[in-house]
Amino acid sequence: ISILAKRELEIQNYVEKKTYKPAFRYQTCEFVKEEVFETPEQALSQVPNTEYAIASDVTYKVNKSKAPKLFKLSTLQTKAHSKLGWSGQKTLDVLQALYEAKAVSYPRTGCEYISSAVNIGGIAKRILSEVSIDTNLLVREPNDVLKDKTYANDKAIQKEGHTAIIPTGSGLPKNASVDEMKLYELICKQFLAMFGPEKETMSVKVIGIPSGT
């Protein structure tokens, strides 16, 4: 109980902290210094007085990334705030209703993993009838996903006492509210993302030397 109370206080007392980096734009490129400052005034004082920059080095890199981890309470609250504009308390209230309807797993969790014994194939099959998603993107087999420590970790679950927030496979109640449907969809899509391929992106790093005034 004390752990849950401490986590609840951390969520309620969280204060976002902003930091700033000096930057200037030339045509379609934005050059950003690595130094981090606490105020915009400090960052602006380090912006070079220049009209253009000379590229001294260009590096291309292909980046691969897996789908994000499954939701814990705090990350689901962050997602619901960015996607739906909800407060942390509203997310928790709607999530609690979904839990009581047996549509999702335990809500007040700090765990981002599932057990290797979970029938994720069966859950995925059920929720695909409820969520609109391109099934061609679901290329990974359930056994492969359960071997991936990014998503399945029995030791982490034993330590936390609960799994990540996932759909149970029981389905969304027919009398679910609009808000419950919206949050349920977020949870289902995060769950199904485990079955997708790695995302590939190309990043280009240009080191520029300020020149001209």
Side-chain angles (χ1 to χ4, degrees):
I1 294 176
S2 63
I3 294 175
L4 291 174
K6 182 179 179 181
R7 181 175 298 120
E8 187 68 23
L9 284 173
E10 289 175 348
I11 293 169
Q12 293 178 0
N13 297 327
Y14 173 75
V15 177
E16 182 179 2
K17 182 179 179 181
K18 292 184 178 180
T19 57
Y20 305 86
K21 289 185 177 183
F24 79 97
R25 183 177 295 276
Y26 175 66
Q27 294 184 357
T28 60
C29 295
E30 184 176 56
F31 294 89
V32 183
K33 284 191 173 183
E34 293 300 320
E35 294 96 331
V36 177
F37 298 91
E38 293 184 356
T39 68
E41 291 78 14
Q42 290 174 326
L44 284 171
S45 69
Q46 300 299 312
V47 175
N49 181 21
T50 183
E51 294 180 354
Y52 62 91
I54 298 174
S56 61
D57 186 59
V58 181
T59 304
Y60 297 88
K61 182 180 180 181
V62 176
N63 304 293
K64 293 184 178 182
S65 59
K66 296 178 181 178
K69 289 183 178 181
L70 296 165
F71 286 129
K72 56 184 178 180
L73 176 57
S74 61
T75 54
L76 179 57
Q77 287 172 315
T78 300
K79 189 77 167 185
H81 177 71
S82 64
K83 291 290 186 180
L84 305 173
W86 291 3
S87 67
Q89 187 60 52
K90 177 172 181 177
T91 300
L92 181 56
D93 291 343
V94 177
L95 183 60
Q96 182 68 30
L98 287 171
Y99 171 66
E100 292 175 1
K102 303 187 186 314
V104 301
S105 58
Y106 183 74
R108 294 176 179 268
T109 178
C111 185
E112 299 174 291
Y113 304 97
I114 52 173
S115 165
S116 58
V118 174
N119 181 14
I120 60 174
I123 295 174
K125 184 177 180 180
R126 173 60 190 271
I127 64 179
L128 279 172
S129 63
E130 301 175 300
V131 178
S132 177
I133 192 171
D134 185 356
T135 56
N136 292 320
L137 297 175
L138 308 182
V139 297
R140 299 184 70 185
E141 294 295 328
N143 287 339
D144 292 334
V145 175
L146 291 175
K147 292 176 183 177
D148 191 336
K149 294 298 182 182
T150 304
Y151 310 110
N153 189 323
D154 293 329
K155 289 184 178 180
I157 295 171
Q158 290 175 358
K159 182 179 179 180
E160 175 66 28
H162 298 284
T163 69
I165 299 170
I166 62 171
T168 60
S170 297
L172 189 66
K174 293 182 179 179
N175 63 344
S177 68
V178 173
D179 284 345
E180 287 169 0
M181 287 188 283
K182 288 179 179 179
L183 192 63
Y184 183 73
E185 183 177 26
L186 287 182
I187 296 168
C188 287
K189 286 186 174 180
Q190 192 87 347
F191 178 84
L192 292 172
M194 297 188 300
F195 297 88
E198 290 186 335
K199 180 181 179 180
E200 291 190 9
T201 57
M202 169 82 74
S203 63
V204 181
K205 181 178 180 180
V206 179
I207 298 178
I209 302 173
S211 182
T213 55

